[in-house]
Amino acid sequence: LKPSFSQHPAVLSAASALLPVAAMAGVTEEMAKMPGFRRTVGLKNNHRGATLDNTDVLASKENVQPVELEALRRVFKWLDTKKDDRLCWQEISEALAKLNHKTPRDQIELWIWEVDDDLDNMVGWEEFHTMYQRCISDTTGNEPRNLFNMVQFLMYDKDFTGRISVEQTLQILFVRHGRGELDAEIQEIFGEQQKGSDGQEQKITFSQFMAKANERLTRMRWAKKEVSKAPGRK
């Protein structure tokens, strides 16, 4: 039998702290004003190719939970080595080098452009936060995910060691997906074999994480195409 992680101490701790998510009808004025709840760039001016569903109002499940927000702030602070509350291509490049995933400047600049709503060639905190909300709300695979994937890995990697284990992912995965989807999400990241021959949890690198994320993104996009081709759909 495959192990279930729903009773892991990290999951139980996250469950006790998880705030209930309001239905859209109960969205407060404060929630509606959160960065990224409504897009700051209209569809006609959208240079990033985001989905129409994300352009209007994000669904209620996409409200960022406190544990996620804390992790996002920690990652942004770590990336912001110049301490100017903005991320430039050099800072992202340095982070990727620390993760042993060196990436050309032009690619990193594309990552920034994909989420850079004010077109200043940098990523501010609100853009960073909004990017996270957009990506977790996207079920089509059309939302740009390059920077998001790096940020997601670093949210798991609390000590910034460049490697993550199943246990390190449990808290965030639980508050994002709940018990019902937890095991499936872990398998998407780590595969079928999550422990070594010695019984110890296997750890994966950022490059391995990216490979799995890109495989999943390809499946998501193909699934969307197959649905659109189904008989009776226009």
Side-chain angles (χ1 to χ4, degrees):
L1 292 176
K2 293 182 180 178
S4 174
F5 294 93
S6 61
Q7 297 302 313
H8 191 283
V11 172
L12 297 177
S13 174
S16 65
L18 184 60
L19 297 178
V21 178
M24 284 304 295
V27 171
T28 65
E29 182 179 353
E30 181 182 4
M31 288 163 59
K33 290 180 179 178
M34 286 179 64
F37 194 87
R38 284 188 179 275
R39 299 188 53 141
T40 56
V41 178
L43 181 61
K44 64 181 181 180
N45 297 319
N46 176 17
H47 60 282
R48 303 176 318 101
T51 63
L52 180 61
D53 288 343
N54 288 355
T55 302
D56 188 11
V57 180
L58 296 177
S60 59
K61 74 175 275 190
E62 276 65 62
N63 293 323
V64 177
Q65 294 293 335
V67 66
E68 296 174 284
L69 186 59
E70 179 184 355
L72 276 173
R73 291 190 184 280
R74 173 176 50 79
V75 172
F76 187 86
K77 182 178 180 180
W78 184 76
L79 292 170
D80 183 22
T81 56
K82 295 181 180 179
K83 305 306 176 187
D84 58 0
D85 296 321
R86 297 180 299 175
L87 306 179
C88 65
W89 78 266
Q90 292 100 329
E91 288 169 308
I92 296 173
S93 178
E94 289 169 6
L96 289 166
K98 291 175 183 176
L99 294 172
N100 294 314
H101 194 85
K102 291 184 178 180
T103 305
R105 174 176 176 172
D106 60 341
Q107 288 190 30
I108 296 172
E109 289 178 337
L110 175 61
W111 294 13
I112 292 173
W113 178 79
E114 289 173 338
V115 303
D116 182 19
D117 283 342
D118 61 11
L119 300 177
D120 66 350
N121 299 315
M122 295 186 179
V123 181
W125 163 250
E126 289 198 2
E127 292 166 331
F128 192 80
H129 185 188
T130 300
M131 168 207 65
Y132 183 77
Q133 287 182 294
R134 288 170 177 163
C135 286
I136 61 175
S137 75
D138 178 35
T139 59
T140 66
N142 291 334
E143 193 72 32
R145 291 171 179 259
N146 289 306
L147 185 59
F148 169 78
N149 285 335
M150 184 186 78
V151 171
Q152 187 79 95
F153 181 89
L154 292 171
M155 288 171 70
Y156 301 142
D157 185 14
K158 290 184 178 180
D159 297 320
F160 306 113
T161 63
R163 300 173 72 85
I164 59 171
S165 66
V166 170
E167 185 171 359
Q168 288 172 290
T169 69
L170 290 178
Q171 188 179 40
I172 290 175
L173 288 179
F174 174 76
V175 300
R176 172 64 19 221
H177 301 285
R179 281 193 176 91
E181 299 178 33
L182 183 61
D183 291 343
E185 287 297 319
I186 290 171
Q187 186 170 321
E188 287 284 0
I189 297 172
F190 295 93
E192 293 276 357
Q193 193 67 33
Q194 295 147 16
K195 291 188 177 182
S197 56
D198 58 357
Q200 297 295 312
E201 276 194 336
Q202 290 198 37
K203 293 190 174 186
I204 62 172
T205 65
F206 176 63
S207 294
Q208 291 171 315
F209 176 84
M210 280 291 285
K212 289 285 188 182
N214 287 331
E215 288 175 10
R216 185 178 193 179
L217 183 59
T218 299
R219 293 199 308 272
M220 185 187 300
R221 288 174 175 170
W222 275 108
K224 192 69 177 180
K225 288 181 180 179
E226 291 303 317
V227 169
S228 65
K229 293 178 182 178
R233 295 187 65 94
K234 297 181 178 179

